[in-house]
Amino acid sequence: MKMRKWMMVTAVAAMATSLAACGGNNNNTNGGNAAATNAPSESTAPAENNGGENTGADTAQITPEDGASLVVWESKEERAFADAIAKEFTEKYNVPVKIEELSPTDQVTKLSQDGPSGLAADVILIPHDNLGRAASAQLLLPNDVFEQETVKNNTEASITGASYDGMLYGYPRAAETYALYYNKSIVTDVPKTFDDVLAFSKTFTDKSKNRYGIMWEVGNMYFNYPFIASNGGYIFGDNGTNKDDIGINSDGAIQGLKEYVKLKEILPINSGDINADIKRSLFNSGDVAMDINGPWELAGYKTALGDNLGLAPLPTIGGKTAISFAGFKIFGVNAYTQYPNAAKLYAEFASGKDAQLKLNELVGSIPTNLEALEDPQIKDDAYISAFAEQAKNSQPMPSIPEMGNVWSPVNAALPEIWDKGADPKTAMDKAAQQIKDLNNGASQ
Amino acid sequence: MQRHHTRAATILSTLFMGLGQIYNRQFIKGFIFLIVEALSLTYFIEKLGRAFWGIVTLGTTSQHFEKVKGIAKLVKGDHSIFILIQSLITIIFFVLFLIAWYMNIRDAYKNGAARDAGQTPGTFKQSIRYILDYKFAQTFLILPSVGILLFTVMPIIFMVMLAFTNYSAPNHMPPAKLVDWVGFETFHNLVALKSWSHTFYGVLTWTIIWAILSTVTTYFGGMLVAMLISQQGVRFKGIWRAILIVPYAIPQMISLLLMRNLFNGQFGPINQYLKFFGLGGLPWLTDPFWAKVTVIVVNMWVGIPVSMLLIMGVLTTIPRDMYEAAEVDGATNYQKFRIITLPMVLFSTAPTLIAQFAGNINNFNAIFLLTGGSPVNGDYQYAGSTDLLVTWLYKLTLDQNKYNMASAIGIIIFLIVATFSIYNYRRTKSFQEEDMIQ
């Protein structure tokens, strides 16, 4: 996330040096991956009890190895949580933990380089769509000791996200998806459908004043998945595991994308000119009334808008409930760790119920732990519960390694449709063909 | 019996390093050689077989998990890439050993011949003296040479080798999967397989166009500015220079990311100003053509100061009397520029110009920070419309883990840069000694 910080600095500098309104530029080449920045975590009983007591009857009880010490890769944004939980872990198990900052989206790449040489962290934190890449390269130890606890205590979707090829690898600690932020002082009736959005925006949008009813990253597949999925489209068939069944050009997807095309009327900007930083500054200043975005913006938006900030599930698309992408942040244990027991204990400890609530408190995140979700701390938070509501209508991003072949073709097709008015069917057929080529060896 | 000592010493040294020297009564030297061979043999007996096996097979067992009491334990297999590096190092050491062995035979031969001619071979002290007096430089260059071999040559060989493997995600990523030799398949895919070749030729063409345009624009832009500032009658020269050098002095990390915001088609100040004056803005960074124009323009902004400083320096070295003589002959300003200034400047800066050209082929910053390769191009494989070969390589390596393809592109970039550089160096008059300016 270093890049993002730089871009924010740049954005501020740019605004200072020019009279015109101007935001930062955050061109996200890797698609939705980068969207995964904040998330809550969940945990199970080990937070309170000794790790050994919590393991299932048929698995061995584990205790940390003698002289164990751990290195954990954490995201910069969640450092406050990481420091706190590491301290608690050390107090409980007498195992020193060193936190190193590394963007979650970079962790699998770094693990694949440094893991086998023994230089990588013992516990890593990754967005679940990177799991397939790590697990198929056998870089992670399966979550076996705590499997039963993890499965029992977490939402089904998060377990799907933390599994690869029928095996549970991850320790889910937070969910994330996106929902509709709105400015209460401008939007009085929360739109229920995208037709409502269209109607409202026609009264508000004024391109010459840079005022828009709604804005979202129209070129990024991550945020536009609802248009593909809500009417029956999908990325990979069989719940995202069949690489040969590509559904981005299915009838349902095209139907949804026709709704997407209609929205160009109220957001007549090239996709490349919209980015997270610009959107943020416009939304904060009241020039954008609605924004489709994730929990990672919550803290900043709250500061900027105060009580005027509203959050609702996404409007329906073509009469169907909007289905968003769900991402999960999960802990993984490095297969080359010297201290597998200590590492597993840490992953379990730092993703338990109490840990997830702490993460929510310190950073703001959506738990995956079932008990944590019922906790008043989450239930009474209007924003978090709105995300949790949307999360119910979300699908986990496919985590098979071929997912890496999807982002660039689709992120190229969406601008074709949006900027140049290409026919959705033609553009998506082309993207689907490219994904097929990539899956089948053009890239081997 | 004439050549008796020569032959015996040579044969003995061939059999075992140092024996020939001992036979020649150079005991200390002989023992040193003996020890060298003994140590080397113990090293190679253990390693050499595995090194050759490794470099041929790149490993045969892949790693897997085994359940022990319900807990998965990692059973390590062969990591093809580590095996490749280790084998490579062993083989490099083996080549060094062969060189030492050859030198040992030659030494035995020479001293044997000296004995046959009736001379006494030198003592150890004399040998040392000889080295210190006559071979000092060569001897002490051995150390840096070994360093260069291990830290420069070895990685290059390693990279070249990768291009001939299938080391790429997702199907051939160690440690889970083994890597194999595939010969020229990667290169073949790059130039012949449509999905790759389309991107490759597109990116290559743009890279060349970019290198030429960016070099020419910054060079002549810099020359223009330099000549304007050094005109007689221009005041505050120091201030002009200082202002113009600022874009170069700001880290590109900051300035290019800032530019990226300035050029935003909807919210950027540049288009806002254009609109204020009643002009429609341009899609600076979102249209493939205009994005290319933008990177070249911004690169001028960054690159002109460098050329300006350089050329200003050269201008001060041109003797004033040449201009005075030209004026006496009635030359116009343009003639003075064409006949005196341009050739003088070109002559002095030609090497820099070539370096700049080669540098621009690999100008990572300008593209990566300004556009990140965007706008996206649906026809390209992991590349955008403004991606250069080098930024494409970066994406293939870090985002996609296609290491074999990235290595192949790396080799191609190297060939291009090397060809241009060598060709230009050879044709540049500055490298052909005196009498360059007519």
Side-chain angles (χ1 to χ4, degrees):
Chain A
M1 287 292 104
K2 209 169 204 170
M3 209 64 177
R4 180 170 242 153
K5 281 275 141 65
W6 271 112
M7 288 171 189
M8 281 169 65
V9 170
T10 316
V12 174
M15 280 186 280
T17 50
S18 69
L19 296 168
C22 157
N25 203 333
N26 187 350
N27 205 332
N28 179 351
T29 52
N30 205 11
N33 278 0
T37 43
N38 277 343
S41 69
E42 61 174 308
S43 84
T44 60
E48 293 112 66
N49 308 325
N50 189 304
E53 291 165 26
N54 296 292
T55 56
D58 54 340
T59 50
Q61 298 195 345
I62 58 170
T63 46
E65 292 84 354
D66 288 339
S69 70
L70 296 175
V71 176
V72 177
W73 284 340
E74 269 279 358
S75 76
K76 193 180 174 64
E77 290 80 359
E78 287 147 310
R79 181 72 200 239
F81 163 77
D83 285 338
I85 206 77
K87 195 162 159 257
E88 284 180 20
F89 181 78
T90 306
E91 277 167 14
K92 184 164 175 189
Y93 292 102
N94 198 23
V95 173
V97 179
K98 192 172 157 227
I99 306 288
E100 288 178 0
E101 284 176 10
L102 185 65
S103 161
T105 50
D106 295 336
Q107 296 201 1
V108 169
T109 305
K110 189 129 196 278
L111 181 67
S112 64
Q113 288 157 0
D114 292 350
S117 349
L119 301 170
D122 303 287
V123 179
I124 68 164
L125 173 72
I126 57 174
H128 85 271
D129 56 316
N130 288 349
L131 178 69
R133 204 150 59 91
S136 68
Q138 294 180 352
L139 296 165
L140 298 177
L141 285 179
N143 176 359
D144 40 20
V145 177
F146 298 105
E147 185 171 3
Q148 292 186 354
E149 307 296 315
T150 311
V151 171
K152 194 176 77 196
N153 292 329
N154 290 283
T155 60
E156 206 184 317
S158 69
I159 295 300
T160 311
S163 303
Y164 170 71
D165 207 11
M167 173 98 84
L168 182 69
Y169 285 92
Y171 305 73
R173 84 164 198 197
E176 60 190 10
T177 189
Y178 35 89
L180 188 74
Y181 285 98
Y182 60 94
N183 188 331
K184 284 181 187 165
S185 65
I186 309 168
V187 182
T188 43
D189 292 331
V190 184
K192 292 274 177 277
T193 70
F194 263 97
D195 291 332
D196 294 347
V197 172
L198 202 64
F200 164 78
S201 299
K202 277 180 187 163
T203 65
F204 186 76
T205 296
D206 185 345
K207 193 182 174 191
S208 63
K209 288 184 185 153
N210 276 331
R211 230 172 53 179
Y212 301 92
I214 187 168
M215 191 179 279
W216 76 100
E217 289 178 48
V218 295
N220 187 337
M221 179 175 78
Y222 180 74
F223 292 106
N224 292 283
Y225 184 67
F227 295 105
I228 294 174
S230 301
N231 287 286
Y234 50 93
I235 290 182
F236 292 125
D238 303 339
N239 285 327
T241 55
N242 183 353
K243 74 177 172 71
D244 296 317
D245 180 7
I246 297 169
I248 55 167
N249 56 348
S250 63
D251 291 344
I254 301 306
Q255 207 184 325
L257 285 168
K258 284 186 179 142
E259 303 288 323
Y260 164 80
V261 173
K262 281 187 204 161
L263 296 166
K264 173 91 195 243
E265 187 190 345
I266 51 162
L267 188 57
I269 307 177
N270 280 343
S271 60
D273 290 332
I274 301 174
N275 60 55
D277 295 328
I278 283 180
K279 200 153 49 73
R280 183 182 307 120
S281 73
L282 292 175
F283 186 76
N284 285 344
S285 64
D287 286 319
V288 160
M290 291 178 269
D291 174 28
I292 298 174
N293 220 326
W296 51 88
E297 293 285 8
L298 186 58
Y301 281 178
K302 265 194 215 163
T303 317
L305 271 71
D307 291 340
N308 277 332
L309 181 69
L311 187 61
L314 295 176
T316 58
I317 298 168
K320 303 276 172 58
T321 311
I323 294 170
S324 56
F325 250 154
F328 301 97
K329 282 256 190 68
I330 59 178
F331 282 115
V333 174
N334 179 358
Y336 295 86
T337 177
Q338 269 184 283
Y339 311 110
N341 290 354
K344 284 174 184 174
L345 282 171
Y346 180 85
E348 173 69 359
F349 183 81
S351 64
K353 178 192 163 200
D354 290 356
Q356 291 201 11
L357 288 174
K358 184 178 278 291
L359 181 67
N360 170 269
E361 180 196 325
L362 292 175
V363 188
S365 61
I366 314 163
T368 59
N369 184 290
L370 294 167
E371 280 180 48
L373 278 169
E374 294 303 317
D375 194 278
Q377 184 187 330
I378 305 299
K379 284 223 122 163
D380 299 347
D381 184 322
Y383 300 114
I384 298 296
S385 54
F387 275 122
E389 186 67 26
Q390 178 62 45
K392 284 181 190 158
N393 294 316
S394 66
Q395 292 171 355
M397 283 185 265
S399 61
I400 55 176
E402 283 79 8
M403 188 60 195
N405 295 335
V406 175
W407 295 105
S408 349
V410 177
N411 284 345
L414 289 173
E416 287 268 308
I417 299 169
W418 188 268
D419 298 351
K420 298 182 193 151
D423 175 46
K425 177 77 179 152
T426 320
M428 282 302 178
D429 279 347
K430 194 165 89 176
Q433 187 56 47
Q434 277 187 316
I435 297 168
K436 227 170 256 171
D437 287 348
L438 293 172
N439 287 351
N440 294 330
S443 59
Q444 282 182 4
Chain B
M1 288 306 282
Q2 186 61 25
R3 312 273 296 164
H4 171 79
H5 291 301
T6 316
R7 200 183 308 135
T10 313
I11 291 171
L12 280 171
S13 261
T14 313
L15 287 178
F16 206 97
M17 273 169 80
L19 287 186
Q21 281 74 13
I22 292 171
Y23 171 79
N24 284 338
R25 290 163 206 288
Q26 295 180 302
F27 294 108
I28 298 180
K29 193 155 81 178
F31 277 119
I32 291 176
F33 275 128
L34 268 177
I35 291 166
V36 167
E37 168 137 6
L39 289 177
S40 303
L41 277 184
T42 49
Y43 175 80
F44 288 124
I45 282 172
E46 197 188 333
K47 301 254 180 167
L48 199 60
R50 189 172 162 82
F52 283 116
W53 164 84
I55 214 142
V56 171
T57 63
L58 293 181
T60 48
T61 39
S62 51
Q63 84 172 22
H64 59 282
F65 289 107
E66 243 166 44
K67 286 251 178 193
V68 183
K69 279 192 256 163
I71 297 176
K73 290 260 190 283
L74 183 73
V75 181
K76 288 189 185 174
D78 295 326
H79 190 299
S80 298
I81 296 309
F82 292 172
I83 288 181
L84 180 58
I85 295 176
Q86 282 153 4
S87 303
L88 190 60
I89 292 174
T90 310
I91 287 171
I92 285 177
F93 279 132
F94 187 61
V95 170
L96 287 181
F97 170 73
L98 287 182
I99 292 171
W101 188 53
Y102 169 74
M103 281 167 57
N104 138 71
I105 296 172
R106 226 175 58 133
D107 178 71
Y109 171 83
K110 269 166 70 180
N111 283 310
R115 284 178 71 194
D116 281 336
Q119 299 161 359
T120 330
T123 63
F124 188 64
K125 234 182 203 164
Q126 281 169 324
S127 299
I128 297 282
R129 256 245 104 75
Y130 176 77
I131 288 174
L132 287 179
D133 287 349
Y134 298 102
K135 300 282 182 190
F136 185 81
Q138 289 91 322
T139 310
F140 282 84
L141 272 177
I142 288 177
L143 216 54
S145 306
V146 171
I148 288 170
L149 194 67
L150 286 184
F151 297 110
T152 308
V153 178
M154 204 271 287
I156 292 175
I157 298 176
F158 174 65
M159 189 203 82
V160 171
M161 288 171 117
L162 281 190
F164 296 93
T165 68
N166 55 8
Y167 180 25
S168 66
N171 295 328
H172 299 282
M173 283 294 287
K177 310 278 174 58
L178 296 167
V179 172
D180 292 309
W181 294 111
V182 294
F184 281 92
E185 194 184 300
T186 308
F187 291 92
H188 180 259
N189 288 348
L190 191 60
V191 295
L193 196 66
K194 199 182 150 278
S195 48
W196 282 106
S197 65
H198 180 73
T199 317
F200 174 65
Y201 290 123
V203 174
L204 177 67
T205 314
W206 161 239
T207 305
I208 303 283
I209 295 174
W210 151 264
I212 294 172
L213 285 182
S214 56
T215 311
V216 168
T217 49
T218 51
Y219 185 78
F220 286 101
M223 189 187 288
L224 184 71
V225 177
M227 290 198 313
L228 288 178
I229 293 180
S230 33
Q231 286 293 315
Q232 281 175 332
V234 172
R235 299 179 64 192
F236 311 119
K237 287 186 180 163
I239 295 176
W240 284 114
R241 266 200 298 260
I243 292 174
L244 283 163
I245 201 68
V246 166
Y248 179 65
I250 307 171
Q252 293 188 1
M253 185 76 195
I254 310 278
S255 62
L256 291 184
L257 288 175
L258 182 74
M259 281 287 167
R260 187 167 167 157
N261 291 320
L262 296 180
F263 279 103
N264 187 298
Q266 181 60 30
F267 309 101
I270 291 180
N271 272 358
Q272 304 264 0
Y273 284 126
L274 287 177
K275 270 174 206 151
F276 180 75
F277 291 111
L279 301 164
L282 283 169
W284 293 111
L285 293 172
T286 50
D287 177 80
F289 173 76
W290 285 107
K292 288 174 182 177
V293 172
T294 311
V295 287
I296 287 178
V297 169
V298 173
N299 183 64
M300 283 171 72
W301 179 76
V302 177
I304 281 180
V306 192
S307 303
M308 177 193 79
L309 278 193
L310 187 74
I311 290 167
M312 269 180 172
V314 178
L315 287 180
T316 57
T317 65
I318 303 177
R320 292 244 59 87
D321 48 5
M322 286 174 83
Y323 288 105
E324 279 156 22
E327 268 161 37
V328 172
D329 287 345
T332 64
N333 274 341
Y334 173 69
Q335 280 169 329
K336 279 192 281 183
F337 169 73
R338 196 173 61 85
I339 314 246
I340 304 172
T341 320
L342 189 62
M344 291 290 284
V345 172
L346 268 182
F347 166 73
S348 320
T349 55
T352 332
L353 198 58
I354 297 160
Q356 274 179 5
F357 179 79
N360 276 324
I361 287 183
N362 282 328
N363 198 332
F364 185 84
N365 278 2
I367 302 295
F368 191 78
L369 296 179
L370 190 59
T371 68
S374 294
V376 286
N377 189 327
D379 298 329
Y380 280 2
Q381 198 95 284
Y382 307 123
S385 297
T386 55
D387 264 323
L388 301 180
L389 285 174
V390 65
T391 54
W392 188 35
L393 184 154
Y394 174 88
K395 289 178 180 176
L396 285 176
T397 315
L398 286 176
D399 297 344
Q400 308 296 339
N401 295 358
K402 311 273 183 228
Y403 298 108
N404 58 341
M405 196 53 83
S407 305
I409 295 168
I411 292 172
I412 290 170
I413 295 177
F414 169 76
L415 290 179
I416 295 171
V417 174
T419 313
F420 274 111
S421 305
I422 293 169
Y423 176 76
N424 276 302
Y425 269 115
R426 292 179 60 93
R427 285 179 42 98
T428 306
K429 287 180 179 164
S430 337
F431 294 95
Q432 296 168 358
E433 300 182 51
E434 64 256 55
D435 284 341
M436 45 326 153
I437 299 182
Q438 293 87 9

